[in-house]
């Protein structure tokens, strides 16, 4: 999920810290190429890989290719996400399945494919992008809330499974962040900002900065945590 919004910002900030960034995309190749160009323009390395994270075979092929080329995988950021909002009574089975398959199954697929390499090297950082919706719910988003809440449970369980191999697993729960996914809220921005302690929407960099910290050596004793980046929305 590195080809836009929060994912793009995380890719850029990780690159600035010296990581070789693998930008995963599914349909938006042009966006992935543009992000890779931005990373190259500031003097760092990246590559793009096409894979539908909801398809385990595609994910395994991508992860194996990355490991074969670079010999290690230190950091995994699960950021792929879609919305198909509707009230439950009107929600179709496809709207439910699409969100669960991408947002939750995708985390399972990428983590399953990657964690065996991290266990082998006895080191790793897994950072899952959840949402405050997964903690507090939101009307019209039962599918999205279920997927994001599932990511939180997944994070805690996997942290216990792999901690002995010095692999940390944490989750970030963004609030209202200015991205294409939240553009439809433009006419409600002032109302939303009144609910936020800091009185503003967040920026993708606010999430990316935390992701960089959780990937760092300084965060080596932090695992199984869910950290909200919401400007005080949920206080």
């Amino acid at each position: 999920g590195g080809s836009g919004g929060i994912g793009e910002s995380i890719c850029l900030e990780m690159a600035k810290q010296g990581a070789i960034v693998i930008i995963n995309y599914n349909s938006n190749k042009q966006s992935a190429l543009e992000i890779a160009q931005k990373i190259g323009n500031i003097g760092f390395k990246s590559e793009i890989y096409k894979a539908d994270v909801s398809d385990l075979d595609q994910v395994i092929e991508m992860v194996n290719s990355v490991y074969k080329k670079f010999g290690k995988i230190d950091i995994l950021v699960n950021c792929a996400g879609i919305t198909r909002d509707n009230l439950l009574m009107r929600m179709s089975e496809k709207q439910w399945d699409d969100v669960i398959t991408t947002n939750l199954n995708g985390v399972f697929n990428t983590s399953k494919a990657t964690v065996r390499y991290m266990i082998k090297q006895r080191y790793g950082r897994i950072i899952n992008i959840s949402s405050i919706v997964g903690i507090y719910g939101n009307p019209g988003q039962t599918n999205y809330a279920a997927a994001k809440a599932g990511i939180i449970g997944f994070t805690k369980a996997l942290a216990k499974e792999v901690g002995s191999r010095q692999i940390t697993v944490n989750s970030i729960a963004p609030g209202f962040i200015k991205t294409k996914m939240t553009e439809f809220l433009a006419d409600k921005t002032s109302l939303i900002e009144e609910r936020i302690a800091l009185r503003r929407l967040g920026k993708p960099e606010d999430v990316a900065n935390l992701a960089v910290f959780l990937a760092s050596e300084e965060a080596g004793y932090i695992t199984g945590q869910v950290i909200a980046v919401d400007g005080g929305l949920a206080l």
Side-chain angles (χ1 to χ4, degrees):
S3 63
I6 291 172
E8 174 181 354
S9 186
I10 291 174
C11 287
L12 286 167
E13 294 305 319
M14 290 286 187
K16 290 175 184 177
Q17 299 301 317
I20 298 174
V21 178
I22 307 303
I23 305 165
N24 158 247
Y25 73 97
N26 182 24
S27 58
N28 198 344
K29 182 178 182 179
Q30 183 58 39
S31 179
L33 287 170
E34 289 173 1
I35 296 164
Q37 183 63 50
K38 289 179 183 178
I39 291 173
N41 288 342
I42 58 176
F44 297 99
K45 296 179 181 179
S46 68
E47 294 193 9
I48 67 171
Y49 276 79
K50 184 182 188 304
D52 180 352
V53 296
S54 69
D55 186 319
L56 180 58
D57 289 338
Q58 289 187 40
V59 171
I60 289 174
E61 182 178 352
M62 174 179 65
V63 170
N64 287 350
S65 295
V66 172
Y67 186 82
K68 183 177 181 180
K69 180 166 185 176
F70 296 99
K72 62 191 302 191
I73 299 176
D74 296 315
I75 303 163
L76 168 65
V77 180
N78 284 307
C79 195
I82 61 171
T83 56
R84 299 289 185 269
D85 296 351
N86 216 336
L87 296 175
L88 181 62
M89 291 182 64
R90 300 174 184 170
M91 185 175 291
S92 67
E93 186 176 7
K94 186 176 188 308
Q95 287 176 319
W96 173 270
D97 287 343
D98 284 351
V99 171
I100 296 298
T101 299
T102 296
N103 296 14
L104 184 56
N105 291 4
V107 173
F108 167 81
N109 291 339
T110 53
S111 299
K112 180 178 175 65
T114 304
V115 77
R116 67 190 186 97
Y117 290 123
M118 291 183 173
I119 288 174
K120 180 181 178 181
Q121 64 196 27
R122 299 186 67 86
Y123 179 89
R125 300 281 191 266
I126 298 176
I127 301 162
N128 300 320
I129 306 301
S130 178
S131 169
I132 58 164
V133 172
I135 302 174
Y136 299 104
N138 199 39
Q141 290 192 306
T142 52
N143 49 4
Y144 190 77
K148 293 301 188 178
I151 289 173
I152 290 171
F154 179 94
T155 296
K156 293 177 179 293
L158 184 59
K160 291 183 177 182
E161 286 187 20
V162 300
S164 64
R165 299 304 179 100
Q166 303 307 305
I167 301 167
T168 66
V169 189
N170 292 289
S171 180
I172 300 174
F176 289 102
I177 307 296
K178 287 184 180 179
T179 66
K180 289 183 179 180
M181 189 177 285
T182 58
E183 282 180 349
F184 73 98
L185 297 170
D187 60 338
K188 301 177 182 178
T189 298
S190 61
L191 293 174
I192 293 170
E193 289 177 341
E194 289 178 5
R195 297 167 53 194
I196 300 172
L198 295 180
R199 296 296 191 271
R200 65 174 179 85
L201 301 187
K203 299 177 293 184
E205 292 80 7
D206 294 322
V207 180
N209 290 335
L210 177 57
V212 167
F213 172 69
L214 290 174
S216 71
E217 294 301 313
E218 289 77 7
Y221 203 58
I222 300 172
T223 195
Q225 301 304 304
V226 181
I227 305 173
V229 181
D230 66 353
L233 173 67
L235 293 176

